[in-house]
Amino acid sequence: MKTLKALPSTERHTAEYRDALTRLVRAVAAVQRGDGFWNVDLADATHLPGPETSGTSFLLYGTAYAVGARLVDRDTFLPVAARAWHGLVAEAVHPDGFLGYVQNVGDRPESSQPVTYDRTADFGVGAFLLAGTELARLTTS
């Protein structure tokens, strides 16, 4: 998203990046969980099925950007973004503001399991803030 924001529309790869983001947003909307999160393994809902904040935040960020940039239909994809935000705030944000359910860095998803309510990492907080900022921009567009 930051790359798309920085690239001039005339740059030869801009259309390719827009297309990739559009395809990603459409694909992940189809596998979003009812609680708004996306699973660690997007292809298998039963593999590592708990909530996970960083991936959900990054997918929310991309979805909100795509809506705001009019790359995808607002009426279809704004509810996807809103569901993700609601899930994050309702499940991952502690009463004191601590952000949980962040999968730590590892060489594969299994290496940092289990992801729990009390697990966090700086990059997960950053992703959450990016997502919230991008979603908030939609209220002014």
Side-chain angles (χ1 to χ4, degrees), residues 46-112:
T46 64
H47 183 232
L48 308 171
E52 198 286 310
T53 297
S54 59
T56 295
S57 293
F58 283 123
L59 293 172
L60 165 55
Y61 175 52
T63 301
Y65 174 81
V67 168
R70 295 180 172 80
L71 300 177
V72 296
D73 179 66
R74 182 182 185 99
D75 291 340
T76 302
F77 292 95
L78 185 56
V80 173
R83 198 167 33 253
W85 183 252
H86 176 74
L88 288 165
V89 171
E91 297 294 324
V93 178
H94 295 209
D96 65 359
F98 182 90
L99 184 68
Y101 293 115
V102 178
Q103 178 179 318
N104 288 327
V105 176
D107 65 336
R108 61 191 180 286
E110 293 83 359
S111 65
S112 60

